[in-house]
Amino acid sequence: MARLQEIPAEFADDDTIYESFGEYCQEIGVEPYPAQDEAFLTILAGDNTIMATPTGSGKSLVALFALYQSFTRGIRAYYTAPLKALVSEKFFSLINAFGAENVGMITGDSTVNADAPVICATAEILANQALREGGMLDAGMVVMDEFHYVADPSRGWAWQVPLLEMPQTQFVLMSATLGDTTDIRRTMTETTGRDSSVVTSATRPVPLDYEYSTETLSDTLRGLVRNDKAPVYVVSYSQNGAIDLATNLLSVDLASKEQKAAIAAAIKGFSFGKGFGTSLRKLLLHGVGVHHAGMLPKYRRLIEQLALKGLLLVISGTDTLGVGINVPIRSVLLTGLTKFDGRKMRRLSVREFQQLAGRAGRAGFDTRGYVVAQAPEHVIDNLKAEAKAANDDKKKKKKVKKKAAPVGFVGWSEETFTKLIEGESEILRPRMKIDHSTLLNLVARPGSDVKTISDFIDKTHETRERRLDLKLTAISIGRSLIDAGLIEVRGSELIATQDLGPQFALNQPLAPFVLAALELLDEDDDTYALDVVSIVEATTSVPFQILKGQLDRIKGETLAELKAEGVEYAERMTILDEIESPAPLAEMLDPAFDHFVETHPWLNRGGFEPKSVVRDMIEQAMGFTQFVGYYSLARAEGSLLRYLTDVYRALLHNVPAENRTEELETIIEWLGETIARTDSSLLDEWRTLQGLDPTEHSDDLPALDRRFSENTKVFTAEIRNAMFHRVLLAERANYTELGRLDAESGFDSRAWEDAIEDFYDEYGELHVDQKARGREYIDITPGSDTWSVRQILADPDDNKDWAIDAEVDVAASDETGDIALRILSVGEIGR
């Protein structure tokens, strides 16, 4: 990788910096566009610079130049982005350019080399530092990417605060969809005393062609592929929609035999897991990829690598394709021009449309890009029906019966498409909010008083009425902070009574509650380790689809039981409506948290929710694959893995060593191994951020290069889990699930049912209590190629004369990272 030349500060004049960066561009094979060159010069002149050019016009290179000119002059610089994933990506990119010793990162989750001259951070990190330190903050240059987020109702404050509170800073703001920037320029100039320039370019380096299609989606795709307009990114507006669309394309012949053979060769040896991995492999061999945030990282990277090699013709993904995907896309195909925004269905804004359309046609890959919007499906069907009738003499006289739009449908037309193409991005209306953390950060400044807060609100880009509302809110919050003893009034000054730490109120605000709640537990309780897990889970956010998967399964099983018992429909529905997801310790944790909030009023219940995911995996003796299959989470396994990783980090970081029993340590080790075996990407990155070699072992993190079976402690525990999970299913007479697990190895649902029903005929009851989980009920004999296992079934008389016999294939387990188990027999021992 090319690295920027370091220039001693005393020689870092404008010409030297400009020439040195030009040499770097030549080395990486890039010739700056006129707009980029204009931005270089305005930055060198000391102006605040707004880079408002189309997507694909090289704003990243301008950001790198801004950071470089500050670095060479000994000026500390910040780069901010809206997402931790983007901050992390830029962190590693800048390390390649500046060297690891010169780049740091602060996201709230991770802090690496925080004193470095170049810092990558989330927008909220910089905003909170600006509130606390204002003009005293060591930040002479700030590059803010995706600046259109300033209009986001919940997060826009973080993009606005630095512009109001950092007079010492030169700003570079970047976005393809800013619209009118008059107010923003005025604010920057008033705050910093610098001129503020706007660099615009209506001409894209790669021009776009637009088309409104009334053909079926499959015909549209065939046309794009046939006319050399692939790769095509097909945009859906939900993860399920993206997967369903990709699956439907299996019936459309898009790739040639040669292309399919090239893909097969490229993915040979790649480890596809069960569930979604199996589906994805099938799609890829057809020339179709899927890309969305709910996938495992290793699958997303595979899609990106195949696309970079030009092997994929179609990628089906969500409308967040601009985040984290850096692949050549020639065409963007929009399946619709409306989306659900969390509250209602609505048409895309001009800004949203431009963000999506701008991904088509990548400089260095394409000479043109293509943007196609599909007409609504029922409109296409009606046009087809009319055309067919027009060619049928018998039907010409009959009126064609048209399909109606779906109930609640928000429509669009070619006119809608044209308006989006020709429209100007909506005016950015910066948003500000006042909460407990805003006030505490402002009060942390030396000499802060009520006027400090009032003046801050007066500077915001809000209407007079809205500023008055913010001041009333500030008064209310201030009183609550004084009542809680977090602020004292001394004369005219407001004094914070506690040092809340440099990353207060960011990504892990509930960590102090974990410490407080641990005091409520008794280490001598049998459930102590699991209760610690429940406390951590209650303070860790979980994607909705995971809890929904659990709830759907519970309701489905309950419904089947109620039907079998003959319960009437109305009563069944009433019972189902009252069922909730498992929430261990909720009766203890809910009031404890409410009390905690009284002395920590900046917290809210938004991040607190008792739940059972990791605990459920442990109690039901399930690994990752079993959990995904049991709750039908194949489409959200990436989200599940990120949640498990968050819980794992929290257990390591937030639970003191003195609170960790041997059982809890085993759970933590098992969880780390589970994550690493499923997809080591997240742990690889975490190790790197901590300054560790991903291949080196440490006491806290699992050894990622070690075979599954080498860690005999965890391997043995996983075998016990796999066997007892089957016992639990047998106790519930869930022969369908047992068959799903073992049919491939020759033990289907009928075989399981025959064996277990014989056990019930003899004993009437199968025990699954803590004693039945004990070591006396399982015998594991290691071997070089296979391990032999006998799981004794706990009968009421404790005769121990029935068992499940199985063998574990060591090599297959190492290859898949999951226990490869084959059931040999289920029945009376010795029969």
Side-chain angles (χ1 to χ4, degrees):
M1 293 293 294
R3 182 167 171 174
L4 289 161
Q5 179 185 352
E6 291 193 35
I7 305 171
E10 61 268 26
F11 300 115
D13 57 66
D14 290 357
D15 290 340
T16 304
I17 293 171
Y18 185 80
E19 291 171 6
S20 175
F21 195 78
E23 293 171 1
Y24 170 81
C25 290
Q26 287 183 339
E27 189 175 350
I28 62 175
V30 171
E31 182 177 349
Y33 301 121
Q36 290 173 308
D37 204 51
E38 180 185 349
F40 297 164
L41 295 176
T42 62
I43 291 169
L44 279 176
D47 290 358
N48 297 312
T49 303
I50 298 177
M51 187 71 176
T53 57
T55 302
S57 59
K59 288 185 284 294
S60 294
L61 192 68
V62 173
L64 183 61
F65 179 82
L67 299 173
Y68 178 60
Q69 70 92 26
S70 296
F71 174 71
T72 56
R73 288 172 166 158
I75 298 171
R76 197 164 193 240
Y78 276 71
Y79 167 91
T80 74
L83 303 177
K84 288 183 283 185
L86 290 180
V87 173
S88 177
E89 180 182 316
K90 180 61 73 171
F91 169 71
F92 290 112
S93 171
L94 293 179
I95 282 176
N96 292 329
F98 290 99
E101 69 279 10
N102 294 317
V103 184
M105 182 176 77
I106 310 174
T107 65
D109 282 347
S110 302
T111 299
V112 183
N113 200 17
D115 296 324
V118 178
I119 294 293
C120 299
T122 50
E124 283 83 357
I125 291 285
L126 179 63
N128 277 286
Q129 291 179 335
L131 285 171
R132 288 190 186 194
E133 301 180 50
M136 301 299 293
L137 179 63
D138 184 10
M141 165 64 73
V142 168
V143 178
M144 303 185 80
D145 207 351
E146 307 293 346
F147 190 75
H148 54 273
Y149 268 80
V150 74
D152 185 274
S154 61
R155 300 184 63 198
W157 68 274
W159 277 259
Q160 185 180 171
V161 164
L163 305 186
L164 303 175
E165 297 297 314
M166 297 175 63
Q168 75 282 20
T169 302
Q170 180 182 2
F171 289 97
V172 176
L173 314 180
M174 302 191 301
S175 174
T177 55
L178 286 178
D180 186 358
T181 61
T182 302
D183 288 344
I184 296 169
R185 294 202 313 272
R186 182 172 60 248
T187 296
M188 286 195 297
T189 297
E190 290 175 353
T191 299
T192 66
R194 300 171 182 266
D195 290 337
S196 297
S197 303
V198 180
V199 177
T200 59
S201 173
T203 304
R204 279 177 51 96
V206 179
L208 295 178
D209 290 343
Y210 297 92
E211 179 186 350
Y212 189 76
S213 176
T214 56
E215 299 292 323
T216 63
L217 181 66
S218 57
D219 286 343
T220 302
L221 278 170
R222 281 195 190 97
L224 291 170
V225 172
R226 186 172 56 246
N227 294 312
D228 195 29
K229 296 179 180 178
V232 184
Y233 200 105
V234 187
V235 180
S236 298
Y237 299 95
S238 70
Q239 294 178 7
N240 282 339
I243 296 172
D244 290 340
L245 189 151
T247 303
N248 291 337
L249 293 178
L250 289 173
S251 61
V252 183
D253 197 16
L254 296 171
S256 66
K257 289 183 179 178
E258 293 76 16
Q259 289 169 324
K260 292 177 181 178
I263 294 171
I267 64 176
K268 186 177 181 180
F270 185 87
S271 177
F272 290 94
K274 295 179 181 179
F276 182 70
T278 303
S279 302
L280 180 61
R281 184 177 184 277
K282 186 177 181 181
L283 289 169
L284 291 175
L285 291 174
H286 200 72
V288 177
V290 180
H291 194 286
H292 63 73
M295 295 166 58
L296 291 176
K298 66 178 182 181
Y299 293 151
R300 291 204 309 275
R301 277 203 319 279
L302 176 64
I303 300 299
E304 292 165 12
Q305 290 164 359
L306 293 175
L308 282 168
K309 294 176 182 177
L311 295 177
L312 293 181
L313 297 173
V314 176
I315 303 172
S316 177
T318 60
D319 58 333
T320 57
L321 78 163
V323 179
I325 180 169
N326 184 26
V327 297
I329 298 167
R330 187 163 296 167
S331 299
V332 170
L333 173 56
L334 304 171
T335 58
L337 298 177
T338 61
K339 64 180 289 186
F340 183 70
D341 63 5
R343 294 180 300 149
K344 62 180 181 179
M345 287 295 297
R346 60 168 177 78
R347 293 184 180 89
L348 297 178
S349 67
V350 174
R351 176 169 288 106
E352 289 169 332
F353 173 78
Q354 290 177 347
Q355 287 284 337
L356 291 170
R359 304 300 167 183
R362 299 298 295 268
F365 293 97
D366 304 307
T367 55
R368 300 195 76 81
Y370 305 92
V371 180
V372 183
Q374 285 289 110
E377 190 173 342
H378 70 280
V379 171
I380 294 173
D381 289 342
N382 289 335
L383 290 173
K384 295 289 182 187
E386 290 174 357
K388 184 177 180 180
N391 294 323
D392 189 332
D393 291 335
K394 294 181 180 180
K395 292 184 177 181
K396 281 183 179 179
K397 296 180 181 180
K398 294 183 178 180
K399 186 176 182 180
V400 176
K401 185 177 181 180
K402 293 186 177 182
K403 283 187 177 180
V407 177
F409 180 75
V410 176
W412 67 90
S413 63
E414 188 167 6
E415 182 182 1
T416 310
F417 188 47
T418 301
K419 287 181 178 179
L420 289 172
I421 295 168
E422 297 175 351
E424 294 287 335
S425 287
E426 294 80 8
I427 295 175
L428 282 177
R429 301 192 183 281
R431 304 298 184 97
M432 181 56 65
K433 68 175 184 179
I434 296 292
D435 57 19
H436 293 81
S437 63
T438 308
L439 259 64
L440 284 169
N441 278 317
L442 285 170
V443 169
R445 293 186 188 180
S448 153
D449 56 18
V450 172
K451 189 174 184 301
T452 303
I453 299 168
S454 178
D455 289 348
F456 169 74
I457 293 172
D458 284 337
K459 288 187 290 186
T460 63
H461 289 216
E462 298 286 355
T463 63
R464 182 176 178 277
E465 292 76 13
R466 175 69 181 141
R467 289 198 299 270
L468 178 59
D469 287 342
L470 291 175
K471 288 182 179 181
L472 292 173
T473 300
I475 291 172
S476 175
I477 293 173
R479 286 173 177 162
S480 72
L481 292 173
I482 291 171
D483 291 342
L486 294 169
I487 291 179
E488 289 183 359
V489 181
R490 298 180 188 171
S492 63
E493 291 189 26
L494 297 174
I495 307 294
T497 59
Q498 297 181 25
D499 180 6
L500 299 171
Q503 294 182 28
F504 158 71
L506 297 176
N507 297 71
Q508 293 182 322
L510 298 183
F513 175 72
V514 172
L515 294 176
L518 288 175
E519 297 180 5
L520 302 175
L521 303 182
D522 184 347
E523 286 192 19
D524 293 329
D525 286 347
D526 291 339
T527 61
Y528 172 78
L530 290 176
D531 290 344
V532 174
V533 170
S534 291
I535 289 173
V536 170
E537 288 205 79
T539 59
T540 306
S541 296
V542 66
F544 167 75
Q545 60 264 44
I546 295 173
L547 297 185
K548 183 178 184 299
Q550 282 184 310
L551 191 58
D552 287 348
R553 175 81 193 205
I554 295 168
K555 286 187 174 183
E557 291 178 346
T558 304
L559 179 60
E561 293 172 3
L562 294 174
K563 283 184 176 180
E565 294 169 4
V567 178
E568 294 293 330
Y569 174 81
E571 187 178 351
R572 292 202 305 264
M573 294 302 101
T574 300
I575 293 172
L576 292 179
D577 285 343
E578 294 175 353
I579 295 176
E580 297 180 349
S581 298
L585 305 186
E587 292 184 1
M588 178 186 78
L589 292 178
D590 281 332
F593 187 76
D594 290 339
H595 177 72
F596 191 77
V597 168
E598 290 179 8
T599 54
H600 301 76
W602 60 88
L603 300 179
N604 60 62
R605 293 193 65 89
F608 176 80
E609 181 183 15
K611 65 189 76 71
S612 181
V613 177
V614 176
R615 181 168 184 155
D616 192 28
M617 292 175 72
I618 297 167
E619 290 183 325
Q620 298 216 58
M622 288 191 284
F624 185 87
T625 303
Q626 289 76 32
F627 191 86
V628 167
Y630 191 71
Y631 289 116
S632 303
L633 295 173
R635 295 185 170 190
E637 57 186 8
S639 300
L640 173 62
L641 184 69
R642 277 190 292 276
Y643 172 75
L644 298 184
T645 305
D646 288 342
V647 172
Y648 177 60
R649 289 173 175 171
L651 285 167
L652 284 177
H653 287 172
N654 299 338
V655 179
E658 60 267 24
N659 292 95
R660 298 185 201 172
T661 60
E662 182 179 353
E663 183 183 359
L664 183 56
E665 290 283 10
T666 300
I667 288 173
I668 294 172
E669 184 177 359
W670 162 79
L671 186 56
E673 290 278 352
T674 297
I675 296 164
R677 290 198 315 275
T678 304
D679 187 339
S680 65
S681 308
L682 298 174
L683 291 177
D684 278 334
E685 182 177 309
W686 191 19
R687 287 169 178 270
T688 305
L689 296 182
Q690 291 179 320
L692 299 173
D693 185 327
T695 63
E696 291 182 357
H697 179 62
S698 72
D699 292 336
D700 284 340
L701 301 175
L704 302 181
D705 61 344
R706 181 174 58 194
R707 293 198 313 274
F708 181 19
S709 60
E710 282 187 59
N711 187 339
T712 56
K713 178 182 177 182
V714 171
F715 194 65
T716 302
E718 286 282 39
I719 293 172
R720 283 202 304 270
N721 285 343
M723 295 299 288
F724 198 75
H725 180 56
R726 287 161 171 81
V727 175
L728 289 170
L729 293 172
E731 191 270 338
R732 300 168 192 161
N734 192 339
Y735 305 121
T736 300
E737 183 67 17
L738 284 166
R740 188 186 70 81
L741 289 174
D742 298 315
E744 288 184 12
S745 64
F747 223 84
D748 61 13
S749 57
R750 174 58 62 85
W752 269 108
E753 183 174 359
D754 290 344
I756 296 301
E757 288 305 317
D758 286 346
F759 175 88
Y760 278 122
D761 287 343
E762 180 167 346
Y763 285 112
E765 185 179 1
L766 173 60
H767 289 184
V768 291
D769 55 11
Q770 199 65 30
K771 180 181 178 182
R773 292 174 180 259
R775 298 180 187 274
E776 63 179 297
Y777 285 86
I778 189 166
D779 180 38
I780 300 176
T781 305
S784 56
D785 298 322
T786 60
W787 288 29
S788 299
V789 191
R790 169 169 285 177
Q791 174 71 57
I792 297 172
L793 301 180
D795 60 83
D797 300 331
D798 203 21
N799 288 330
K800 299 189 180 75
D801 56 356
W802 281 68
I804 304 170
D805 286 324
E807 64 180 14
V808 176
D809 186 325
V810 176
S813 300
D814 286 336
E815 182 179 351
T816 62
D818 201 4
I819 297 296
L821 185 140
R822 185 167 75 91
I823 303 298
L824 301 176
S825 66
V826 180
E828 191 172 358
I829 296 173
R831 178 181 294 181

